[in-house]
Amino acid sequence: MAQDHLAASSPLPEHARLAAFAGEWDGEEVVFPSRWTAGGLATSHVVARMDLNGFYLIQDSVQKRDGQQIFATHGIFTYDRDDRTYKLFWYDSLGYTPPSPASGGWVGKTLTLVRGSLRGNARHVYEIINEDSYSLKIQFSPDAEGWADVLTGVYRRIH
């Protein structure tokens, strides 16, 4: 009898680990001056959910300064069982299409994902502080050696 290649597999514990970021969050951020924006303080509202049978964390965020939306993101996180790394497919209101997802893994309570493009390299560092808060640091590097902060933030769960 032929094997059913469309039969659903089950999420792994690695997929379930992403649920730490599921929920609704408010964040306080520091945006560093860059070629994309002036620096300053910002707030973000983040909504994230586990979806598609538990294989993906889907995250949307809206960043505001002075009450005005200035930036938005859509992130899709998963665990790639083939190469055993976490992946982040990142889209934002700057409109660049990433050539490939960011890739990386966990060390303790810290998930680090790195992506390269013709514009340079981006590193996203998510650290779980406790079940109701996490931090995020986004960094940029032209050569993947010297990293400069683009954004730092702390996000608190809304109950």
Side-chain angles (χ1 to χ4, degrees):
M1 176 174 270
Q3 182 179 5
D4 183 359
H5 292 286
L6 296 178
S9 59
S10 298
L12 299 172
E14 289 86 353
H15 293 103
R17 193 164 186 193
L18 293 168
F21 301 111
E24 192 171 356
W25 309 82
D26 277 333
E28 297 175 0
E29 300 173 331
V30 175
V31 179
F32 293 83
S34 69
R35 61 181 168 180
W36 301 285
T37 186
L41 299 178
T43 60
S44 278
H45 184 76
V46 180
V47 177
R49 69 187 189 282
M50 294 300 293
D51 210 337
L52 302 172
N53 294 330
F55 287 103
Y56 299 92
L57 173 76
I58 300 173
Q59 180 190 71
D60 292 296
S61 71
V62 173
Q63 184 185 73
K64 292 184 177 183
R65 284 198 216 173
D66 301 320
Q68 299 286 81
Q69 179 178 325
I70 58 161
F71 190 63
T73 68
H74 180 73
I76 303 169
F77 298 74
T78 193
Y79 178 73
D80 186 331
R81 64 181 79 221
D82 290 334
D83 71 6
R84 298 182 185 158
T85 61
Y86 285 86
K87 303 291 185 188
L88 168 57
F89 298 83
W90 179 269
Y91 304 92
D92 60 41
S93 57
L94 293 177
Y96 296 112
T97 301
S100 61
S103 186
W106 289 90
V107 174
K109 294 183 176 186
T110 303
L111 174 61
T112 302
L113 302 149
V114 179
R115 175 186 74 248
S117 75
L118 295 175
R119 292 180 313 283
N121 301 278
R123 179 165 65 183
H124 297 235
V125 181
Y126 296 83
E127 182 176 0
I128 296 172
I129 298 168
N130 58 46
E131 68 180 26
D132 289 325
S133 60
Y134 70 91
S135 66
L136 168 62
K137 183 186 309 185
I138 299 177
Q139 299 175 308
F140 178 79
S141 173
D143 57 10
E145 291 182 17
W147 294 95
D149 290 343
V150 173
L151 176 141
T152 60
V154 175
Y155 306 84
R156 290 176 179 81
R157 186 182 303 278
I158 298 170
H159 290 282

